[in-house]
Amino acid sequence: MYRQTDEALCEYEVDCMWNPLLTQCNRQCAELGNTDCLSGSMCKWDMSNQVCMRKCIYKYHNETNCNADITCDWSNLNGTCRDSCSFHTTGGNSTTCNADSMCYWNTTSNSCLDQCMTRFPLPSESSSCWADPQCMFDSNERMCKKTCELLSNQFDCNAVSTMCTWYQGKCVLGCENSATNVTNCRMLERCMWDSDQNKCRRNCTQEGAATRCTNDAMCRYDNDLASCRMRCVNFYTTDLCATDGRCEWGTASHPGCDASCEFRYSGQSDCDSDPTCFWDGTVCTKSCDKYFDQSSCTLGDVQCEWDVTHCRRTCRYAYNNDENGCTADANCAWNRNARTCSTVCTAVLDQSICMSDEMCQWKVNSCEERCSFRYNTSSSCNSDPQCTWVGYASACRNFCGGYALMPNATLQSTKDLCSKDQFCEWSGTQCVPTCTILHGDRVS
C-alpha cells in the first residue's frame, strides 16, 4: 500500500492507483476480492462478472473518456465522471442502485435508471424535464424530480416535492400544478377553482381539521357530518348546489348557489328584509315564489300554495291580522267572522281545501264563495239565484233549491251538497230550508 508516496510513481505501477482522498498509494481495485473491494472507497463490485472495478469518478477526468465507458456517465452539473445507473442493473441490484443518489430502481422494468435530476440537472432544462413522462420540474426548488405518480408511499409523496399530495391511497400532482384554468380545474374531482387567487386548489373535503376548514374562506365546517364542506356560493351548477341540504339555487334573474334562508338568517328582521325569504314564525324560510312546480310548492312549506302557474304564500300567513293588505290582494278575501285572511275561493283548486274553509263551498268541480260571505245586503243577496236573504238573521244564505239548478247537477250531487249545507235538508225529493231558516223568528 505504501510502496510509492508520489501520485505519478504510484500510477506508473500496474497494480497500484493513487487515492486522492487519503493522498496515498493503494492497490488497484482489480487486484481486490469482494470484501476488500467493498471496503475500498475508490472501488465498486461488479456482481455480474464478480470483479472489482475502479469507480468512474476516480477513473476518468474528462467527458470524452468518461462517456466512452458504458459503465460511466459525465455529470454536466458537477463536471465529473460518475458511475452510470445502468451499471447497477447488470453489475449491481436494487440495493446498490437506491444507495446511489443519482439513481432509482424501477420495479416495473427491474432496472436501475437515472433520477430525473440526473437526466436534467439544470433549471434551463425544465422543458425537457416536463417532456419526460417520468419527470416533472419543481418550480419551487428549481429542480427536475420524479413524477408524483411514481412515489409509492405517503411519506415519500409528502417529502420529495411540495408539488405532490397524497389522495385516496396514491400520490398525485397537486391541484395547483394539475390545471391552470377554471375549466380543466373543475374536471378534477379533488380540486376546485379559487376565483380570488385565480388558481386551482384542493377542495374543502381535503382540509381535514375543523380549525383549518373554518379559516378557509371557501369552506365551512359541518358539525353534524364532522366534515369540511364547500360554501354554497362556490357551487357553480344546480346539481352541485343540490348536493348540500344547506344550499339552494337562485332564480333566472338571480342565478347562483347560496345558503338557504334557514341557514342565512337567524333573526326575523334580517330574514324579512330579503325578498327571497320570509319569517314563518320560528325560522327563516324560502319564499314561496322560489318553488317552480306544484309538487315542491305544496311539499316545501305549509305556508305555500300552488296557483295554477306559480307558487305563492297563502293569504292566511301573508296577511296575518292585516285586513287592508288582505282586501287589497285580488287573490285573498277577509273573513270578517274569524278576522283572518283566506285565499279567494275561486282560486282554490282542491276540494278538501275548499271545504275546510268556512268561506267556501265546493260546487261539482270548482270552489266558490258561500252566499253568507258573498253579500251583506238583502238586495244584492236576492239578486243572485243561488242565494236567499234570511231576515231574522240579517244574513245571506245559499238558496237550497239552487243546488238542483247548478250546471251538470245530478240527483246525487244535489243531495250531497244539500246535506253539507247546515241550513238545508233533503226532503226525499228536493233540497229545502231547515225549520230554523223557515221559522227562525220563532226560535228563542
Side-chain angles (χ1 to χ4, degrees):
M1 182 177 291
Y2 302 105
R3 190 188 308 169
Q4 300 291 349
T5 58
D6 178 78
E7 180 179 358
L9 294 174
C10 176
E11 290 289 348
Y12 182 77
E13 300 280 351
V14 294
D15 61 341
C16 297
M17 64 180 183
W18 183 253
N19 187 331
L21 299 176
L22 301 177
T23 62
Q24 65 184 29
C25 194
N26 294 154
R27 289 176 65 192
Q28 273 280 12
C29 295
E31 301 292 324
L32 303 178
N34 177 266
T35 302
D36 291 336
C37 181
L38 293 176
S39 63
S41 60
M42 294 176 66
C43 304
K44 62 185 179 183
W45 184 255
D46 184 338
M47 292 182 178
S48 177
N49 297 309
Q50 292 293 298
V51 295
C52 189
M53 303 169 62
R54 194 188 301 196
K55 290 180 179 177
C56 295
I57 192 172
Y58 301 110
K59 196 172 183 179
Y60 304 109
H61 301 290
N62 64 71
E63 183 176 358
T64 302
N65 292 339
C66 175
N67 288 335
D69 188 330
I70 61 172
T71 67
C72 303
D73 279 324
W74 185 258
S75 171
N76 291 320
L77 182 64
N78 300 320
T80 58
C81 191
R82 67 176 184 85
D83 298 324
S84 69
C85 295
S86 60
F87 166 77
H88 296 291
T89 302
T90 55
N93 56 29
S94 61
T95 302
T96 63
C97 176
N98 290 327
D100 188 332
S101 62
M102 296 292 185
C103 310
Y104 79 97
W105 188 261
N106 187 300
T107 55
T108 303
S109 62
N110 283 323
S111 59
C112 190
L113 304 176
D114 286 347
Q115 289 276 14
C116 291
M117 62 181 178
T118 308
R119 290 178 231 176
F120 310 104
L122 304 175
S124 59
E125 298 176 293
S126 61
S127 297
S128 299
C129 173
W130 278 115
D132 189 318
Q134 294 181 330
C135 304
M136 66 179 186
F137 188 77
D138 189 327
S139 56
N140 296 323
E141 299 184 34
R142 296 182 61 74
M143 183 183 296
C144 191
K145 294 185 176 183
K146 186 189 304 184
T147 62
C148 303
E149 288 73 17
L150 294 176
L151 302 174
S152 58
N153 62 74
Q154 187 171 1
F155 177 81
D156 287 343
C157 181
N158 294 332
V160 170
S161 175
T162 56
M163 293 175 67
C164 301
T165 185
W166 192 256
Y167 179 72
Q168 293 185 350
K170 59 184 179 181
C171 192
V172 296
L173 191 63
C175 295
E176 293 83 351
N177 300 292
S178 295
T180 56
N181 60 68
V182 61
T183 301
N184 291 339
C185 179
R186 286 173 174 173
M187 292 175 66
L188 300 172
E189 182 183 7
R190 57 190 171 88
C191 306
M192 64 183 183
W193 185 257
D194 187 334
S195 299
D196 293 334
Q197 299 296 322
N198 196 36
K199 68 177 183 179
C200 193
R201 52 154 289 179
R202 67 181 183 181
N203 63 27
C204 297
T205 58
Q206 298 176 69
E207 289 299 328
T211 302
R212 188 164 62 185
C213 178
T214 303
N215 291 333
D216 191 321
M218 292 187 71
C219 308
R220 67 171 182 83
Y221 192 76
D222 191 321
N223 290 307
D224 295 333
L225 299 175
S227 64
C228 190
R229 306 289 299 274
M230 189 188 295
R231 292 186 181 276
C232 298
V233 292
N234 295 310
F235 288 121
Y236 54 93
T237 68
T238 54
D239 290 341
L240 288 174
C241 186
T243 62
D244 193 325
R246 289 172 173 255
C247 306
E248 62 184 12
W249 193 259
T251 62
S253 58
H254 295 89
C257 190
D258 200 354
S260 60
C261 297
E262 180 182 355
F263 299 101
R264 205 183 310 169
Y265 306 111
S266 58
Q268 181 175 358
S269 58
D270 289 336
C271 177
D272 287 339
S273 66
D274 188 330
T276 66
C277 309
F278 72 85
W279 188 259
D280 73 355
T282 305
V283 297
C284 191
T285 191
K286 181 179 180 178
S287 179
C288 298
D289 60 5
K290 299 301 179 289
Y291 294 108
F292 300 110
D293 60 81
Q294 185 172 1
S295 177
S296 60
C297 173
T298 54
L299 296 176
D301 195 294
V302 294
Q303 296 196 20
C304 300
E305 63 182 4
W306 186 253
D307 180 24
V308 185
T309 58
H310 65 279
C311 190
R312 69 183 183 196
R313 195 176 182 190
T314 60
C315 299
R316 174 186 175 187
Y317 294 103
Y319 304 106
N320 184 34
N321 297 322
D322 180 8
E323 181 177 356
N324 292 333
C326 178
T327 54
D329 190 328
N331 294 309
C332 304
W334 185 254
N335 186 330
R336 56 183 178 274
N337 295 337
R339 305 292 300 169
T340 59
C341 191
S342 296
T343 301
V344 66
C345 300
T346 53
V348 178
L349 306 178
D350 184 271
Q351 182 177 358
S352 60
I353 296 176
C354 175
M355 297 299 292
S356 66
D357 190 329
E358 69 167 331
M359 294 182 68
C360 305
Q361 60 187 5
W362 189 257
K363 291 291 188 71
V364 185
N365 57 5
S366 64
C367 190
E368 67 174 16
E369 192 174 28
R370 292 182 180 274
C371 293
S372 54
F373 291 94
R374 208 182 306 173
Y375 308 110
N376 55 16
T377 65
S378 60
S379 57
S380 58
C381 175
N382 289 329
S383 65
D384 189 328
Q386 292 185 345
C387 307
T388 185
W389 184 260
V390 179
Y392 82 93
S394 295
C396 190
R397 306 292 189 200
N398 288 352
F399 173 53
C400 298
Y403 294 125
L405 303 177
M406 293 176 56
N408 302 315
T410 64
L411 181 62
Q412 188 60 50
S413 67
T414 303
K415 289 175 64 176
D416 291 342
L417 292 171
C418 182
S419 62
K420 291 175 181 178
D421 190 327
Q422 61 174 315
F423 298 107
C424 302
E425 61 184 9
W426 186 252
S427 69
T429 58
Q430 58 182 329
C431 187
V432 297
T434 62
C435 294
T436 302
I437 297 299
L438 292 173
H439 310 289
D441 55 338
R442 301 180 184 175
V443 178
S444 57

